[in-house]
């Protein structure tokens, strides 16, 4: 019986090694193709991706989730008014933002001062560990080192300033490693 299990394991390993080789080959081919593109073609591809993400953000269904409080609702409404604003590292509004710049600016519009960085914002209120307990306007902390933050928008969506080359937009909360929420 053990010999049969070992043979099955060896067969599975061989099959996985074959699949890995195929994937690496396809990845190598894709990289070669990408390397043949001019800077202008690469910029056009990046622009198309950004436009697709922005269009998807405009069509997002937020459902009927209610705001956590008047302040959270006001902060969320302020952030919504900045959809389409460009991401700029270190910016905190009113015309461009990084992730924590957007959230601190939005809460400031609601009359609430929160810390400027995502790591400090992670400790600014009551932690919520279950995504099902999140309410609109709650801060949502991502990644183990807590380097990204957004505002919960309802229906599994977050409103955030993702990264350089993007704009303030909605995105599925599942696209990043959720750590916890923070209710201000």
């Amino acid at each position: 019986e053990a010999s049969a299990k070992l043979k099955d394991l060896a067969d599975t390993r061989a099959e996985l090694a074959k699949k890995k080789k195929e994937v690496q080959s396809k990845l190598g081919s894709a990289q070669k193709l990408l390397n043949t593109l001019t800077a202008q073609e690469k910029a056009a591809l990046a622009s198309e991706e950004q436009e697709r993400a922005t269009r998807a953000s405009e069509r997002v269904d937020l459902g009927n989730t209610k705001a956590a409080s008047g302040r959270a609702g006001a902060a969320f409404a302020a952030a919504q008014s900045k959809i389409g604003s460009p991401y700029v590292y270190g910016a905190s509004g009113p015309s461009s933002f990084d992730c924590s710049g957007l959230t601190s600016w939005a809460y400031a519009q609601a009359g609430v001062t929160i810390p400027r960085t995502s790591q400090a914002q992670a400790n600014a209120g009551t932690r919520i560990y279950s995504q099902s307990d999140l309410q609109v306007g709650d801060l949502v902390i991502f990644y183990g080192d807590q380097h990204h933050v957004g505002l919960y928008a309802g229906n599994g969506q977050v409103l955030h300033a993702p990264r350089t080359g993007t704009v303030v937009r909605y995105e599925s909360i599942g696209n990043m490693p959720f750590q916890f929420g923070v209710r201000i």
Side-chain angles (χ1 to χ4, degrees):
E1 190 177 320
S3 294
K5 293 279 184 197
L6 283 172
K7 183 181 179 335
D8 284 348
L9 183 58
D11 291 346
T12 301
R13 268 197 177 140
E15 184 63 27
L16 288 174
K18 181 180 168 189
K19 295 286 185 195
K20 181 178 179 181
K21 227 176 193 177
E22 287 175 23
V23 168
Q24 287 174 329
S25 174
K26 288 179 182 180
L27 183 59
S29 296
Q31 187 62 52
K32 283 179 187 173
L33 179 61
L34 186 60
N35 290 342
T36 66
L37 296 177
T38 65
Q40 187 177 6
E41 289 169 328
K42 287 179 185 177
L45 272 176
S47 177
E48 286 175 24
E49 183 218 331
Q50 179 59 39
E51 287 176 28
R52 277 193 305 276
T54 300
R55 282 193 305 272
S57 181
E58 292 166 356
R59 293 188 305 266
V60 80
D61 176 14
L62 299 178
N64 294 322
T65 312
K66 69 178 183 104
S69 71
R71 298 177 308 182
F76 183 71
Q80 281 183 304
S81 75
K82 295 303 178 178
I83 291 173
S85 297
Y87 176 100
V88 174
Y89 181 79
S92 52
S95 57
S96 60
F97 301 90
D98 67 8
C99 66
S100 56
L102 175 66
T103 53
S104 62
W105 178 87
Y107 266 95
Q109 304 318 295
V112 179
T113 301
I114 62 173
R116 173 60 180 84
T117 67
S118 58
Q119 291 90 352
Q121 289 176 13
N123 297 309
T126 304
R127 287 192 178 183
I128 301 152
Y129 292 98
S130 172
Q131 289 184 29
S132 63
D133 292 336
L134 292 172
Q135 296 179 352
V136 174
D138 287 342
L139 298 176
V140 185
I141 308 297
F142 296 98
Y143 300 96
D145 63 358
Q146 304 170 357
H147 75 263
H148 190 67
V149 63
L151 292 164
Y152 187 66
N155 204 25
Q157 299 290 312
V158 64
L159 179 58
H160 68 143
R163 65 188 171 281
T164 300
T166 64
V167 297
V168 174
R169 67 184 187 206
Y170 295 107
E171 191 167 338
S172 171
I173 199 169
N175 288 354
M176 298 165 284
F178 171 81
Q179 299 302 301
F180 51 86
V182 176
R183 184 152 305 143
I184 301 298

